[in-house]
PDB file of all heavy atoms in Angstrom:
ATOM      1  N   THR B 348     -39.149 112.555  56.113  1.00  0.00           N
ATOM      2  CA  THR B 348     -39.929 111.465  55.530  1.00  0.00           C
ATOM      3  C   THR B 348     -39.339 110.133  55.909  1.00  0.00           C
ATOM      4  O   THR B 348     -39.771 109.090  55.437  1.00  0.00           O
ATOM      5  CB  THR B 348     -39.965 111.599  54.000  1.00  0.00           C
ATOM      6  OG1 THR B 348     -38.611 111.747  53.556  1.00  0.00           O
ATOM      7  CG2 THR B 348     -40.779 112.799  53.573  1.00  0.00           C
ATOM      8  N   ILE B 349     -38.349 110.153  56.750  1.00  0.00           N
ATOM      9  CA  ILE B 349     -37.728 108.887  57.153  1.00  0.00           C
ATOM     10  C   ILE B 349     -38.672 108.150  58.091  1.00  0.00           C
ATOM     11  O   ILE B 349     -39.228 108.740  59.015  1.00  0.00           O
ATOM     12  CB  ILE B 349     -36.392 109.129  57.879  1.00  0.00           C
ATOM     13  CG1 ILE B 349     -35.484 110.010  57.022  1.00  0.00           C
ATOM     14  CG2 ILE B 349     -35.720 107.804  58.224  1.00  0.00           C
ATOM     15  CD1 ILE B 349     -34.297 110.559  57.769  1.00  0.00           C
ATOM     16  N   GLY B 350     -38.840 106.897  57.828  1.00  0.00           N
ATOM     17  CA  GLY B 350     -39.729 106.139  58.704  1.00  0.00           C
ATOM     18  C   GLY B 350     -39.601 104.659  58.462  1.00  0.00           C
ATOM     19  O   GLY B 350     -38.964 104.213  57.519  1.00  0.00           O
ATOM     20  N   THR B 351     -40.198 103.908  59.343  1.00  0.00           N
ATOM     21  CA  THR B 351     -40.186 102.465  59.182  1.00  0.00           C
ATOM     22  C   THR B 351     -41.359 101.893  59.979  1.00  0.00           C
ATOM     23  O   THR B 351     -42.091 102.623  60.650  1.00  0.00           O
ATOM     24  CB  THR B 351     -38.850 101.872  59.676  1.00  0.00           C
ATOM     25  OG1 THR B 351     -38.854 100.464  59.438  1.00  0.00           O
ATOM     26  CG2 THR B 351     -38.660 102.087  61.186  1.00  0.00           C
ATOM     27  N   THR B 352     -41.551 100.599  59.897  1.00  0.00           N
ATOM     28  CA  THR B 352     -42.521  99.942  60.785  1.00  0.00           C
ATOM     29  C   THR B 352     -41.821  98.790  61.478  1.00  0.00           C
ATOM     30  O   THR B 352     -40.799  98.288  61.007  1.00  0.00           O
ATOM     31  CB  THR B 352     -43.745  99.384  60.030  1.00  0.00           C
ATOM     32  OG1 THR B 352     -43.258  98.514  59.025  1.00  0.00           O
ATOM     33  CG2 THR B 352     -44.586 100.485  59.443  1.00  0.00           C
ATOM     34  N   THR B 353     -42.388  98.392  62.598  1.00  0.00           N
ATOM     35  CA  THR B 353     -41.741  97.337  63.380  1.00  0.00           C
ATOM     36  C   THR B 353     -42.028  95.970  62.800  1.00  0.00           C
ATOM     37  O   THR B 353     -43.051  95.740  62.159  1.00  0.00           O
ATOM     38  CB  THR B 353     -42.211  97.356  64.836  1.00  0.00           C
ATOM     39  OG1 THR B 353     -43.633  97.291  64.839  1.00  0.00           O
ATOM     40  CG2 THR B 353     -41.768  98.615  65.535  1.00  0.00           C
ATOM     41  N   GLY B 354     -41.131  95.084  63.101  1.00  0.00           N
ATOM     42  CA  GLY B 354     -41.282  93.700  62.687  1.00  0.00           C
ATOM     43  C   GLY B 354     -42.189  92.951  63.644  1.00  0.00           C
ATOM     44  O   GLY B 354     -42.784  93.538  64.540  1.00  0.00           O
ATOM     45  N   PRO B 355     -42.276  91.640  63.436  1.00  0.00           N
ATOM     46  CA  PRO B 355     -43.258  90.854  64.183  1.00  0.00           C
ATOM     47  C   PRO B 355     -43.089  90.923  65.704  1.00  0.00           C
ATOM     48  O   PRO B 355     -44.066  90.858  66.424  1.00  0.00           O
ATOM     49  CB  PRO B 355     -43.037  89.430  63.683  1.00  0.00           C
ATOM     50  CG  PRO B 355     -41.742  89.445  62.960  1.00  0.00           C
ATOM     51  CD  PRO B 355     -41.531  90.831  62.461  1.00  0.00           C
ATOM     52  N   ASP B 356     -41.863  91.049  66.176  1.00  0.00           N
ATOM     53  CA  ASP B 356     -41.705  91.085  67.623  1.00  0.00           C
ATOM     54  C   ASP B 356     -41.562  92.512  68.134  1.00  0.00           C
ATOM     55  O   ASP B 356     -41.148  92.749  69.260  1.00  0.00           O
ATOM     56  CB  ASP B 356     -40.497  90.249  68.058  1.00  0.00           C
ATOM     57  CG  ASP B 356     -39.219  90.736  67.393  1.00  0.00           C
ATOM     58  OD1 ASP B 356     -39.339  91.583  66.470  1.00  0.00           O
ATOM     59  OD2 ASP B 356     -38.140  90.296  67.788  1.00  0.00           O
ATOM     60  N   GLY B 357     -41.900  93.441  67.261  1.00  0.00           N
ATOM     61  CA  GLY B 357     -41.867  94.832  67.687  1.00  0.00           C
ATOM     62  C   GLY B 357     -40.540  95.515  67.450  1.00  0.00           C
ATOM     63  O   GLY B 357     -40.348  96.667  67.815  1.00  0.00           O
ATOM     64  N   ARG B 358     -39.594  94.792  66.819  1.00  0.00           N
ATOM     65  CA  ARG B 358     -38.267  95.402  66.640  1.00  0.00           C
ATOM     66  C   ARG B 358     -38.202  96.241  65.371  1.00  0.00           C
ATOM     67  O   ARG B 358     -38.931  95.986  64.409  1.00  0.00           O
ATOM     68  CB  ARG B 358     -37.208  94.303  66.565  1.00  0.00           C
ATOM     69  CG  ARG B 358     -37.033  93.655  67.903  1.00  0.00           C
ATOM     70  CD  ARG B 358     -36.036  92.529  67.935  1.00  0.00           C
ATOM     71  NE  ARG B 358     -36.318  91.782  69.141  1.00  0.00           N
ATOM     72  CZ  ARG B 358     -36.014  92.220  70.355  1.00  0.00           C
ATOM     73  NH1 ARG B 358     -35.400  93.386  70.506  1.00  0.00           N
ATOM     74  NH2 ARG B 358     -36.329  91.520  71.415  1.00  0.00           N
ATOM     75  N   PHE B 359     -37.320  97.200  65.394  1.00  0.00           N
ATOM     76  CA  PHE B 359     -37.144  98.061  64.216  1.00  0.00           C
ATOM     77  C   PHE B 359     -35.713  98.573  64.211  1.00  0.00           C
ATOM     78  O   PHE B 359     -35.005  98.532  65.210  1.00  0.00           O
ATOM     79  CB  PHE B 359     -38.117  99.244  64.267  1.00  0.00           C
ATOM     80  CG  PHE B 359     -37.803 100.221  65.387  1.00  0.00           C
ATOM     81  CD1 PHE B 359     -36.972 101.312  65.162  1.00  0.00           C
ATOM     82  CD2 PHE B 359     -38.313 100.010  66.659  1.00  0.00           C
ATOM     83  CE1 PHE B 359     -36.672 102.198  66.194  1.00  0.00           C
ATOM     84  CE2 PHE B 359     -38.014 100.896  67.687  1.00  0.00           C
ATOM     85  CZ  PHE B 359     -37.196 101.985  67.472  1.00  0.00           C
ATOM     86  N   SER B 360     -35.336  99.036  63.039  1.00  0.00           N
ATOM     87  CA  SER B 360     -34.067  99.757  62.972  1.00  0.00           C
ATOM     88  C   SER B 360     -34.164 100.753  61.823  1.00  0.00           C
ATOM     89  O   SER B 360     -34.856 100.503  60.846  1.00  0.00           O
ATOM     90  CB  SER B 360     -32.897  98.790  62.758  1.00  0.00           C
ATOM     91  OG  SER B 360     -33.107  98.066  61.577  1.00  0.00           O
ATOM     92  N   LEU B 361     -33.549 101.873  61.965  1.00  0.00           N
ATOM     93  CA  LEU B 361     -33.503 102.854  60.895  1.00  0.00           C
ATOM     94  C   LEU B 361     -32.323 103.786  61.109  1.00  0.00           C
ATOM     95  O   LEU B 361     -31.715 103.799  62.177  1.00  0.00           O
ATOM     96  CB  LEU B 361     -34.820 103.637  60.777  1.00  0.00           C
ATOM     97  CG  LEU B 361     -35.451 104.305  62.004  1.00  0.00           C
ATOM     98  CD1 LEU B 361     -34.661 105.478  62.503  1.00  0.00           C
ATOM     99  CD2 LEU B 361     -36.852 104.749  61.622  1.00  0.00           C
ATOM    100  N   SER B 362     -32.057 104.531  60.066  1.00  0.00           N
ATOM    101  CA  SER B 362     -31.003 105.532  60.176  1.00  0.00           C
ATOM    102  C   SER B 362     -31.650 106.889  60.321  1.00  0.00           C
ATOM    103  O   SER B 362     -32.595 107.211  59.603  1.00  0.00           O
ATOM    104  CB  SER B 362     -30.140 105.539  58.905  1.00  0.00           C
ATOM    105  OG  SER B 362     -29.183 104.536  59.009  1.00  0.00           O
ATOM    106  N   ALA B 363     -31.168 107.658  61.241  1.00  0.00           N
ATOM    107  CA  ALA B 363     -31.770 108.974  61.458  1.00  0.00           C
ATOM    108  C   ALA B 363     -30.697 109.910  61.940  1.00  0.00           C
ATOM    109  O   ALA B 363     -29.661 109.474  62.427  1.00  0.00           O
ATOM    110  CB  ALA B 363     -32.881 108.863  62.488  1.00  0.00           C
ATOM    111  N   PRO B 364     -30.956 111.200  61.771  1.00  0.00           N
ATOM    112  CA  PRO B 364     -29.974 112.158  62.282  1.00  0.00           C
ATOM    113  C   PRO B 364     -29.854 111.994  63.793  1.00  0.00           C
ATOM    114  O   PRO B 364     -30.805 111.613  64.456  1.00  0.00           O
ATOM    115  CB  PRO B 364     -30.602 113.527  61.957  1.00  0.00           C
ATOM    116  CG  PRO B 364     -31.689 113.257  60.987  1.00  0.00           C
ATOM    117  CD  PRO B 364     -32.120 111.860  61.180  1.00  0.00           C
ATOM    118  N   ASP B 365     -28.674 112.305  64.290  1.00  0.00           N
ATOM    119  CA  ASP B 365     -28.453 112.206  65.737  1.00  0.00           C
ATOM    120  C   ASP B 365     -29.442 113.126  66.436  1.00  0.00           C
ATOM    121  O   ASP B 365     -29.757 114.212  65.965  1.00  0.00           O
ATOM    122  CB  ASP B 365     -27.015 112.641  66.041  1.00  0.00           C
ATOM    123  CG  ASP B 365     -26.607 112.168  67.433  1.00  0.00           C
ATOM    124  OD1 ASP B 365     -27.397 111.402  68.050  1.00  0.00           O
ATOM    125  OD2 ASP B 365     -25.517 112.565  67.879  1.00  0.00           O
ATOM    126  N   ASN B 366     -29.953 112.656  67.551  1.00  0.00           N
ATOM    127  CA  ASN B 366     -30.894 113.430  68.345  1.00  0.00           C
ATOM    128  C   ASN B 366     -32.207 113.737  67.633  1.00  0.00           C
ATOM    129  O   ASN B 366     -32.883 114.693  67.976  1.00  0.00           O
ATOM    130  CB  ASN B 366     -30.263 114.729  68.837  1.00  0.00           C
ATOM    131  CG  ASN B 366     -29.650 114.522  70.209  1.00  0.00           C
ATOM    132  OD1 ASN B 366     -30.153 113.702  70.978  1.00  0.00           O
ATOM    133  ND2 ASN B 366     -28.568 115.219  70.471  1.00  0.00           N
ATOM    134  N   ALA B 367     -32.518 112.936  66.663  1.00  0.00           N
ATOM    135  CA  ALA B 367     -33.791 113.125  65.988  1.00  0.00           C
ATOM    136  C   ALA B 367     -34.933 112.744  66.932  1.00  0.00           C
ATOM    137  O   ALA B 367     -34.737 111.992  67.874  1.00  0.00           O
ATOM    138  CB  ALA B 367     -33.848 112.247  64.749  1.00  0.00           C
ATOM    139  N   VAL B 368     -36.085 113.274  66.642  1.00  0.00           N
ATOM    140  CA  VAL B 368     -37.258 112.911  67.433  1.00  0.00           C
ATOM    141  C   VAL B 368     -38.074 111.896  66.646  1.00  0.00           C
ATOM    142  O   VAL B 368     -38.412 112.120  65.493  1.00  0.00           O
ATOM    143  CB  VAL B 368     -38.105 114.161  67.753  1.00  0.00           C
ATOM    144  CG1 VAL B 368     -39.415 113.759  68.421  1.00  0.00           C
ATOM    145  CG2 VAL B 368     -37.308 115.111  68.625  1.00  0.00           C
ATOM    146  N   LEU B 369     -38.322 110.765  67.272  1.00  0.00           N
ATOM    147  CA  LEU B 369     -39.097 109.724  66.596  1.00  0.00           C
ATOM    148  C   LEU B 369     -40.548 109.824  67.017  1.00  0.00           C
ATOM    149  O   LEU B 369     -40.851 110.001  68.199  1.00  0.00           O
ATOM    150  CB  LEU B 369     -38.575 108.341  66.971  1.00  0.00           C
ATOM    151  CG  LEU B 369     -37.110 108.049  66.647  1.00  0.00           C
ATOM    152  CD1 LEU B 369     -36.794 106.608  67.032  1.00  0.00           C
ATOM    153  CD2 LEU B 369     -36.841 108.275  65.161  1.00  0.00           C
TER     154      LEU B 369
END
Side-chain angles (χ1 to χ4, degrees):
Chain B
T348 51
I349 307 167
T351 183
T352 56
T353 54
D356 58 350
R358 290 178 198 286
F359 68 92
S360 58
L361 51 69
S362 277
D365 197 7
N366 268 329
V368 173
L369 301 183

